[in-house]
Amino acid sequence: PRLGPRPHGGRVRCPIGYSGAQVDVHKVDVAFRSAEGIIEVCSMGAGVDFSEEKAKQILLAPEIDILVELNSGAFGATAWGCDLTYDYVKINGDYRT
């Protein structure tokens, strides 16, 4: 998915909160990974500084992994998704944090 020109960890963390699962939001880490590399955008529930140029390289790749670490145990899961609709990308592509 295209998350706009600047990756926004809040857009990844928000659905976790809506899931109804008991999650300590102050422990959540978020990173984006592609063939271009990996970049952390959230550590222990807070945004971190990162290179926007490197983030752009990673997010322009055809396939992107969104890595979420809840830091709440030794469990794991994988979910697959596909590109988002044009209108969603268009609306959110102009959004900057």
Side-chain angles (χ1 to χ4, degrees), residues 14-38:
C14 184
I16 296 168
Y18 285 126
S19 74
Q22 291 185 346
V23 176
D24 184 345
V25 295
H26 302 291
K27 291 184 176 181
V28 176
D29 299 335
V30 178
F32 298 100
R33 177 177 63 198
S34 74
E36 299 298 321
I38 186 168

Side-chain angles (χ1 to χ4, degrees), residues 8-82:
H8 185 356
R11 293 200 181 205
V12 175
R13 292 188 322 251
C14 184
I16 296 168
Y18 285 126
S19 74
Q22 291 185 346
V23 176
D24 184 345
V25 295
H26 302 291
K27 291 184 176 181
V28 176
D29 299 335
V30 178
F32 298 100
R33 177 177 63 198
S34 74
E36 299 298 321
I38 186 168
I39 195 158
E40 182 181 47
V41 296
C42 174
S43 177
M44 301 307 284
V48 297
D49 290 331
F50 56 85
S51 163
E52 288 200 32
E53 188 60 37
K54 181 66 176 176
K56 182 177 178 181
Q57 289 175 333
I58 290 168
L59 293 177
L60 287 175
E63 291 187 20
I64 302 164
D65 296 325
I66 301 172
L67 308 173
V68 177
E69 177 60 59
L70 301 178
N71 294 303
S72 297
F75 303 95
T78 300
W80 296 92
C82 62

